[in-house]
Amino acid sequence: MSLKSRNAVVTGSTSGIGLACARALAQAGANVMINGFGEAAAIEKERAAIEKDFGVRCVYSGADMSKPAEIAKMVADAGAAFGSVDVLVNNAGIQFVSPVEDFPVEKWDQIIAINLSAAFHAIRAAVPGMKARKWGRIVNIASAHGLVASPFKSAYVSAKHGIAGLTKTVALELATFGVTVNCISPGYVWTPLVEKQIPDTMKARNMTEEQVKRDVLLAAQPTKQFVTVDQVAALAVYLCSDAASQITGTNISMDGGWTAA
Ligand code: NAD
Protein backbone atom coordinates (compact mmCIF):
# COMPACT_ATOMS: atom_id res chain seq x y z
CA MET A 1 0.00 0.00 0.00
CA SER A 2 1.42 3.36 -0.90
CA LEU A 3 1.38 6.56 1.07
CA LYS A 4 3.67 8.27 -1.42
CA SER A 5 3.09 12.04 -1.54
CA ARG A 6 1.43 11.88 1.89
CA ASN A 7 2.93 13.74 4.82
CA ALA A 8 2.64 12.51 8.39
CA VAL A 9 3.18 13.79 11.91
CA VAL A 10 3.65 11.19 14.63
CA THR A 11 3.77 12.52 18.19
CA GLY A 12 5.97 10.79 20.74
CA SER A 13 7.94 8.97 18.05
CA THR A 14 11.44 8.92 19.50
CA SER A 15 10.64 5.58 21.16
CA GLY A 16 8.31 2.60 21.29
CA ILE A 17 5.03 2.52 19.37
CA GLY A 18 5.47 6.03 17.92
CA LEU A 19 8.87 5.25 16.43
CA ALA A 20 7.52 2.04 14.92
CA CYS A 21 4.56 3.98 13.43
CA ALA A 22 6.88 6.65 11.99
CA ARG A 23 9.10 3.99 10.40
CA ALA A 24 6.14 2.03 9.03
CA LEU A 25 4.54 5.16 7.52
CA ALA A 26 7.90 6.05 5.97
CA GLN A 27 8.22 2.52 4.63
CA ALA A 28 4.83 3.02 2.96
CA GLY A 29 6.23 6.16 1.29
CA ALA A 30 5.12 9.04 3.53
CA ASN A 31 7.34 11.90 4.61
CA VAL A 32 7.35 11.98 8.39
CA MET A 33 7.79 14.49 11.19
CA ILE A 34 8.98 12.73 14.30
CA ASN A 35 8.58 14.21 17.79
CA GLY A 36 9.47 13.39 21.35
CA PHE A 37 12.15 13.63 23.98
CA GLY A 38 15.55 12.01 24.19
CA GLU A 39 19.21 12.57 23.54
CA ALA A 40 19.82 14.81 20.52
CA ALA A 41 22.36 12.43 18.98
CA ALA A 42 20.07 9.40 19.35
CA ILE A 43 17.12 11.29 17.83
CA GLU A 44 19.26 12.50 14.91
CA LYS A 45 20.36 8.91 14.32
CA GLU A 46 16.72 7.73 14.15
CA ARG A 47 15.75 10.65 11.90
CA ALA A 48 18.62 10.04 9.47
CA ALA A 49 17.91 6.27 9.48
CA ILE A 50 14.29 6.88 8.39
CA GLU A 51 15.47 9.00 5.44
CA LYS A 52 18.18 6.52 4.47
CA ASP A 53 16.13 3.34 4.96
CA PHE A 54 13.00 4.50 3.15
CA GLY A 55 14.03 7.34 0.79
CA VAL A 56 11.55 9.83 2.29
CA ARG A 57 12.00 13.14 4.09
CA CYS A 58 12.03 13.05 7.87
CA VAL A 59 12.15 16.12 10.10
CA TYR A 60 12.16 16.37 13.88
CA SER A 61 10.09 18.59 16.18
CA GLY A 62 11.00 18.82 19.85
CA ALA A 63 7.54 20.18 20.74
CA ASP A 64 6.42 19.39 24.28
CA MET A 65 2.97 17.74 24.07
CA SER A 66 1.97 19.33 27.38
CA LYS A 67 2.22 22.81 25.76
CA PRO A 68 -0.63 23.80 23.41
CA ALA A 69 1.34 26.54 21.61
CA GLU A 70 4.21 24.15 20.88
CA ILE A 71 1.76 21.57 19.50
CA ALA A 72 0.19 24.12 17.14
CA LYS A 73 3.67 25.18 16.01
CA MET A 74 4.69 21.54 15.42
CA VAL A 75 1.75 21.03 13.03
CA ALA A 76 2.45 24.37 11.32
CA ASP A 77 6.15 23.48 10.97
CA ALA A 78 5.27 20.13 9.38
CA GLY A 79 2.95 21.91 6.94
CA ALA A 80 5.70 24.38 6.09
CA ALA A 81 8.32 21.64 5.64
CA PHE A 82 6.21 19.23 3.58
CA GLY A 83 3.39 21.35 2.10
CA SER A 84 0.62 19.57 4.03
CA VAL A 85 -0.19 17.35 6.99
CA ASP A 86 -2.25 14.42 5.68
CA VAL A 87 -1.71 11.91 8.47
CA LEU A 88 -1.66 12.64 12.18
CA VAL A 89 -0.83 9.93 14.69
CA ASN A 90 -1.47 11.08 18.24
CA ASN A 91 0.71 8.71 20.18
CA ALA A 92 2.70 10.58 22.86
CA GLY A 93 1.83 9.30 26.28
CA ILE A 94 3.10 8.84 29.79
CA GLN A 95 2.02 6.72 32.71
CA PHE A 96 1.97 7.14 36.48
CA VAL A 97 0.77 4.54 38.97
CA SER A 98 -0.57 5.45 42.41
CA PRO A 99 -3.62 4.95 44.63
CA VAL A 100 -6.08 7.73 43.84
CA GLU A 101 -5.87 9.38 47.26
CA ASP A 102 -2.10 9.78 46.90
CA PHE A 103 -2.11 10.60 43.19
CA PRO A 104 0.01 13.75 42.81
CA VAL A 105 -2.13 16.58 41.40
CA GLU A 106 0.64 17.68 39.03
CA LYS A 107 0.91 14.12 37.65
CA TRP A 108 -2.83 14.06 37.00
CA ASP A 109 -2.60 17.38 35.13
CA GLN A 110 0.45 16.22 33.15
CA ILE A 111 -1.14 12.94 32.06
CA ILE A 112 -4.38 14.62 31.01
CA ALA A 113 -2.34 17.23 29.09
CA ILE A 114 -0.05 14.78 27.26
CA ASN A 115 -2.33 11.75 26.84
CA LEU A 116 -5.58 13.59 26.06
CA SER A 117 -5.40 17.37 25.50
CA ALA A 118 -2.37 17.10 23.17
CA ALA A 119 -4.46 15.08 20.71
CA PHE A 120 -7.14 17.79 20.77
CA HIS A 121 -4.59 20.54 20.11
CA ALA A 122 -2.90 18.62 17.27
CA ILE A 123 -6.24 17.67 15.68
CA ARG A 124 -7.44 21.27 15.96
CA ALA A 125 -4.32 22.46 14.12
CA ALA A 126 -4.29 19.75 11.43
CA VAL A 127 -8.00 19.56 10.56
CA PRO A 128 -8.40 22.79 8.52
CA GLY A 129 -5.83 21.59 5.94
CA MET A 130 -7.26 18.06 5.83
CA LYS A 131 -10.78 19.42 5.33
CA ALA A 132 -9.64 21.79 2.58
CA ARG A 133 -7.82 18.97 0.73
CA LYS A 134 -10.67 16.51 1.39
CA TRP A 135 -8.29 13.80 2.60
CA GLY A 136 -6.87 13.00 5.96
CA ARG A 137 -6.14 10.23 8.41
CA ILE A 138 -6.09 10.70 12.16
CA VAL A 139 -5.00 7.72 14.25
CA ASN A 140 -5.11 8.08 18.01
CA ILE A 141 -3.21 5.56 20.09
CA ALA A 142 -5.59 4.85 22.96
CA SER A 143 -5.29 1.70 25.06
CA ALA A 144 -7.24 -1.23 26.43
CA HIS A 145 -7.41 1.23 29.33
CA GLY A 146 -9.69 3.32 27.11
CA LEU A 147 -12.24 0.51 27.40
CA VAL A 148 -11.63 -1.03 30.82
CA ALA A 149 -9.89 0.09 34.01
CA SER A 150 -7.13 -1.16 36.25
CA PRO A 151 -6.55 0.08 39.80
CA PHE A 152 -3.94 2.81 40.50
CA LYS A 153 -4.11 4.31 36.99
CA SER A 154 -6.86 6.91 37.47
CA ALA A 155 -5.34 9.62 35.26
CA TYR A 156 -4.23 7.27 32.48
CA VAL A 157 -7.57 5.43 32.33
CA SER A 158 -9.47 8.73 32.35
CA ALA A 159 -7.31 10.18 29.56
CA LYS A 160 -7.63 7.06 27.40
CA HIS A 161 -11.42 6.93 27.83
CA GLY A 162 -11.36 10.60 26.80
CA ILE A 163 -9.37 9.82 23.64
CA ALA A 164 -12.00 7.26 22.65
CA GLY A 165 -14.72 9.93 22.95
CA LEU A 166 -12.68 12.55 21.11
CA THR A 167 -12.11 10.05 18.28
CA LYS A 168 -15.83 9.41 17.83
CA THR A 169 -16.75 13.09 17.96
CA VAL A 170 -14.16 14.25 15.44
CA ALA A 171 -14.94 11.28 13.16
CA LEU A 172 -18.56 12.44 12.94
CA GLU A 173 -17.54 16.04 12.28
CA LEU A 174 -15.20 15.03 9.43
CA ALA A 175 -17.19 12.14 7.93
CA THR A 176 -18.07 13.99 4.72
CA PHE A 177 -14.60 15.46 4.20
CA GLY A 178 -12.61 12.32 3.33
CA VAL A 179 -10.98 12.40 6.75
CA THR A 180 -11.13 9.31 8.95
CA VAL A 181 -10.50 9.32 12.69
CA ASN A 182 -9.91 6.10 14.59
CA CYS A 183 -8.20 4.84 17.66
CA ILE A 184 -6.11 1.77 18.21
CA SER A 185 -6.35 0.26 21.66
CA PRO A 186 -3.37 -1.93 22.38
CA GLY A 187 -3.08 -4.19 25.38
CA TYR A 188 0.39 -4.50 26.86
CA VAL A 189 3.05 -3.71 24.29
CA TRP A 190 6.66 -4.28 25.30
CA THR A 191 8.09 -0.72 25.23
CA PRO A 192 10.05 1.55 27.60
CA LEU A 193 6.69 2.86 28.94
CA VAL A 194 5.74 -0.60 30.21
CA GLU A 195 9.23 -1.35 31.46
CA LYS A 196 9.28 1.92 33.46
CA GLN A 197 6.01 1.27 35.30
CA ILE A 198 7.20 -2.05 36.69
CA PRO A 199 9.05 -0.59 39.74
CA ASP A 200 6.02 1.54 40.77
CA THR A 201 3.65 -1.41 40.35
CA MET A 202 6.03 -3.57 42.41
CA LYS A 203 5.81 -0.95 45.16
CA ALA A 204 2.04 -0.35 44.89
CA ARG A 205 1.23 -4.08 44.92
CA ASN A 206 4.18 -5.35 46.94
CA MET A 207 5.27 -7.77 44.22
CA THR A 208 8.48 -8.94 42.53
CA GLU A 209 9.27 -8.01 38.92
CA GLU A 210 8.33 -11.49 37.66
CA GLN A 211 5.03 -11.34 39.58
CA VAL A 212 4.19 -7.97 38.05
CA LYS A 213 4.85 -9.29 34.53
CA ARG A 214 2.92 -12.53 35.00
CA ASP A 215 0.16 -11.60 37.48
CA VAL A 216 -0.48 -7.94 36.56
CA LEU A 217 0.59 -7.25 32.99
CA LEU A 218 0.04 -10.51 31.13
CA ALA A 219 -2.63 -11.65 33.60
CA ALA A 220 -5.06 -9.48 31.64
CA GLN A 221 -3.91 -10.72 28.24
CA PRO A 222 -5.41 -14.14 27.39
CA THR A 223 -2.73 -14.86 24.75
CA LYS A 224 -0.07 -14.42 27.48
CA GLN A 225 2.08 -12.55 24.98
CA PHE A 226 2.99 -8.89 24.68
CA VAL A 227 1.76 -7.03 21.57
CA THR A 228 4.68 -5.86 19.41
CA VAL A 229 5.24 -2.27 18.30
CA ASP A 230 5.38 -3.43 14.68
CA GLN A 231 1.91 -4.99 14.95
CA VAL A 232 0.45 -1.66 16.17
CA ALA A 233 2.32 0.22 13.43
CA ALA A 234 1.01 -2.11 10.71
CA LEU A 235 -2.56 -1.41 11.81
CA ALA A 236 -1.89 2.34 11.81
CA VAL A 237 -0.58 2.14 8.24
CA TYR A 238 -3.64 0.13 7.19
CA LEU A 239 -5.96 2.76 8.70
CA CYS A 240 -4.12 5.37 6.60
CA SER A 241 -4.70 3.45 3.37
CA ASP A 242 -7.48 4.02 0.87
CA ALA A 243 -8.74 0.51 1.65
CA ALA A 244 -9.69 1.84 5.11
CA SER A 245 -11.58 4.90 3.88
CA GLN A 246 -14.89 3.60 5.30
CA ILE A 247 -13.44 2.84 8.71
CA THR A 248 -14.03 5.87 10.89
CA GLY A 249 -15.02 6.53 14.48
CA THR A 250 -13.89 3.08 15.55
CA ASN A 251 -11.81 1.87 18.44
CA ILE A 252 -9.83 -1.15 17.27
CA SER A 253 -8.49 -3.40 19.99
CA MET A 254 -5.14 -5.16 19.64
CA ASP A 255 -4.92 -6.69 23.07
CA GLY A 256 -4.54 -10.46 22.81
CA GLY A 257 -8.19 -10.87 23.84
CA TRP A 258 -8.00 -8.75 27.04
CA THR A 259 -11.23 -6.78 26.50
CA ALA A 260 -13.14 -9.85 25.31
CA ALA A 261 -13.19 -11.09 28.88
P1 NAD B 1 7.33 5.16 25.22
O1 NAD B 1 7.62 5.66 26.58
O2 NAD B 1 8.21 4.13 24.59
O3 NAD B 1 7.23 6.38 24.21
C1 NAD B 1 6.55 7.55 24.54
C2 NAD B 1 6.95 8.63 23.57
O4 NAD B 1 6.28 9.83 23.94
C3 NAD B 1 8.46 8.94 23.59
O5 NAD B 1 8.89 9.26 22.29
C4 NAD B 1 8.52 10.17 24.50
O6 NAD B 1 9.65 10.99 24.26
C5 NAD B 1 7.24 10.85 24.07
N1 NAD B 1 6.78 11.85 25.04
C6 NAD B 1 6.53 11.71 26.36
N2 NAD B 1 6.18 12.89 26.90
C7 NAD B 1 6.18 13.79 25.87
C8 NAD B 1 5.90 15.17 25.79
N3 NAD B 1 5.53 15.88 26.85
N4 NAD B 1 6.03 15.76 24.58
C9 NAD B 1 6.43 15.06 23.49
N5 NAD B 1 6.70 13.76 23.53
C10 NAD B 1 6.57 13.13 24.70
O7 NAD B 1 5.81 4.65 25.25
P2 NAD B 1 4.96 3.64 24.35
O8 NAD B 1 4.72 2.43 25.15
O9 NAD B 1 5.51 3.52 22.98
O10 NAD B 1 3.57 4.41 24.33
C11 NAD B 1 3.10 5.15 23.23
C12 NAD B 1 1.61 5.32 23.34
O11 NAD B 1 0.99 4.05 23.33
C13 NAD B 1 1.14 6.02 24.61
O12 NAD B 1 0.06 6.90 24.31
C14 NAD B 1 0.66 4.86 25.46
O13 NAD B 1 -0.30 5.27 26.39
C15 NAD B 1 0.10 3.95 24.42
N6 NAD B 1 -0.03 2.57 24.85
C16 NAD B 1 1.07 1.85 25.23
C17 NAD B 1 0.90 0.56 25.64
C18 NAD B 1 2.05 -0.29 26.05
O14 NAD B 1 1.81 -1.36 26.61
N7 NAD B 1 3.28 0.12 25.84
C19 NAD B 1 -0.37 -0.02 25.67
C20 NAD B 1 -1.46 0.73 25.29
C21 NAD B 1 -1.27 2.02 24.88
Side-chain angles (χ1 to χ4, degrees), residues 11-19 35-38 62-67 90-95 110 114-115 141-145 156 160 184-194 196-197 226 229 258:
T11 72
S13 45
T14 53
S15 163
I17 294 169
L19 179 57
N35 156 260
F37 298 149
D64 181 339
M65 291 301 105
S66 66
K67 308 235 163 75
N90 289 303
N91 165 79
I94 59 167
Q95 175 63 281
Q110 198 187 10
I114 296 168
N115 295 19
I141 306 299
S143 166
H145 282 123
Y156 187 88
K160 295 300 186 181
I184 298 177
S185 285
Y188 280 101
V189 188
W190 189 252
T191 67
L193 181 139
V194 170
K196 269 185 264 169
Q197 67 187 275
F226 286 98
V229 293
W258 174 354

Side-chain angles (χ1 to χ4, degrees), residues 3-229:
L3 292 175
K4 258 197 177 15
S5 83
R6 303 294 188 197
N7 304 308
V9 174
V10 183
T11 72
S13 45
T14 53
S15 163
I17 294 169
L19 179 57
C21 286
R23 287 186 60 84
L25 290 165
Q27 187 171 32
N31 297 314
V32 187
M33 173 178 269
I34 57 170
N35 156 260
F37 298 149
E39 253 181 58
I43 293 170
E44 174 51 24
K45 205 171 151 203
E46 293 293 358
R47 190 203 64 75
I50 288 174
E51 289 199 332
K52 180 169 169 290
D53 294 348
F54 307 117
V56 299
R57 290 182 59 205
C58 180
V59 297
Y60 167 68
S61 163
D64 181 339
M65 291 301 105
S66 66
K67 308 235 163 75
E70 292 189 23
I71 298 167
K73 184 171 183 305
M74 172 190 70
V75 174
D77 287 349
F82 298 142
S84 64
V85 175
D86 310 299
V87 172
L88 171 65
V89 180
N90 289 303
N91 165 79
I94 59 167
Q95 175 63 281
F96 191 82
V97 179
S98 164
V100 69
E101 67 274 28
D102 300 328
F103 212 95
V105 171
E106 62 279 10
K107 279 286 171 200
W108 169 275
D109 289 343
Q110 198 187 10
I111 288 176
I112 298 299
I114 296 168
N115 295 19
L116 174 58
S117 301
F120 159 74
H121 295 296
I123 287 169
R124 190 173 179 277
V127 155
M130 291 179 175
K131 264 174 114 167
R133 286 183 298 276
K134 296 247 181 215
W135 198 94
R137 294 288 186 269
I138 298 172
V139 179
N140 298 320
I141 306 299
S143 166
H145 282 123
L147 295 161
V148 296
S150 295
F152 312 121
K153 295 184 178 176
S154 52
Y156 187 88
V157 170
S158 301
K160 295 300 186 181
H161 276 69
I163 279 284
L166 176 67
T167 298
K168 290 198 266 190
T169 307
V170 183
L172 294 179
E173 291 183 29
L174 300 180
T176 57
F177 290 92
V179 181
T180 70
V181 190
N182 293 289
C183 53
I184 298 177
S185 285
Y188 280 101
V189 188
W190 189 252
T191 67
L193 181 139
V194 170
E195 209 171 340
K196 269 185 264 169
Q197 67 187 275
I198 288 177
D200 287 341
T201 310
M202 285 165 67
K203 223 184 292 166
R205 294 186 180 235
N206 195 24
M207 285 177 163
T208 66
E209 181 173 339
E210 278 318 300
Q211 283 174 321
V212 169
K213 281 188 188 164
R214 188 191 60 229
D215 299 336
V216 181
L217 304 185
L218 293 179
Q221 223 148 278
T223 57
K224 300 296 168 204
Q225 290 177 17
F226 286 98
V227 178
T228 72
V229 293

